[in-house]
Amino acid sequence: MPEKKYNKVAVGGTFDKFHEGHRLLVEKAFQIGDKVLIGVTSDEFGGMKGEIEPCDVRMSNLNALLKGRSNYHLARLEEHYGPTVDDASIDAIVVSPETEPTALKINQIRQKEGMKPLDIITISMVMAQDGKPISSTRIRRGEIDSCGKIIQKQIKE
């Protein structure tokens, strides 16, 4: 089995309406890290995005997805950065283009604190059938399903 590049990798998000983009983000973290820290936005913090599933439900969904794995830890995020700004054992962070600015800010904070910056691994957005990114917002609106398939609207006559 090839050796992993990093000891500990972080990934974070709301993980609402878990979809293909989330799966890819988490999968990448496991591909490159021996241990994976997954930050999940709390109800209070995540609630700023609007109507989302409760944090316990989102964490339970992740645990179900990761069944059989033991090399991860779920942590509730009460703000943007979570443990990434004070845990020197984290080597890298996996982000999407949408969350890359947060990773850059994390590195600014880490450097101010005299910590080694995280390697930032940015994965591409996963596109839906219509060529636009899959997102929890689009799923909540009923535009697409979690795999990015267009949901046909029923036309009322």
Side-chain angles (χ1 to χ4, degrees):
M1 197 163 129
E3 193 176 359
K4 305 256 178 148
K5 186 172 179 187
Y6 300 101
N7 178 46
K8 194 174 192 181
V9 176
V11 63
T14 304
F15 298 108
D16 183 44
K17 304 294 182 199
F18 197 86
H19 57 70
E20 198 57 27
H22 293 137
R23 190 188 62 70
L24 214 60
L25 201 64
V26 171
E27 200 173 272
K28 184 65 173 178
F30 280 103
Q31 282 173 4
I32 64 170
D34 289 325
K35 294 183 212 109
V36 177
L37 174 62
I38 304 170
V40 181
T41 57
S42 68
D43 291 331
E44 297 74 25
F45 180 50
M48 296 188 309
K49 288 188 169 193
E51 190 66 35
I52 61 169
E53 298 163 314
C55 185
D56 288 342
V57 169
R58 293 178 279 122
M59 289 177 112
S60 177
N61 290 343
L62 278 163
N63 276 321
L65 173 82
L66 301 171
K67 192 175 182 176
R69 291 187 186 262
S70 59
N71 59 331
Y72 73 96
H73 175 74
L74 293 182
R76 248 175 243 269
L77 295 177
E78 301 296 342
E79 40 74 34
H80 288 287
Y81 315 121
T84 58
V85 292
D86 48 34
D87 184 345
S89 71
I90 301 171
D91 306 306
I93 187 167
V94 180
V95 296
S96 68
E98 183 183 56
T99 56
E100 190 176 21
T102 301
L104 295 169
K105 183 71 176 148
I106 286 167
N107 275 346
Q108 287 177 349
I109 295 167
R110 285 176 68 95
Q111 286 178 302
K112 257 188 232 166
E113 297 295 319
M115 295 168 69
K116 183 173 87 50
L118 300 174
D119 283 355
I120 300 171
I121 292 83
T122 305
I123 66 162
S124 300
M125 301 290 275
V126 177
M127 297 301 148
Q129 202 175 31
D130 61 2
K132 297 176 190 167
I134 294 176
S135 73
S136 301
T137 302
R138 294 189 69 205
I139 294 167
R140 265 193 303 278
R141 286 187 198 139
E143 296 172 24
I144 58 172
D145 68 14
S146 62
C147 294
K149 190 169 183 278
I150 301 297
I151 295 173
Q152 300 299 322
K153 300 275 187 221
Q154 297 296 325
I155 301 171
K156 293 181 181 166
E157 295 183 30

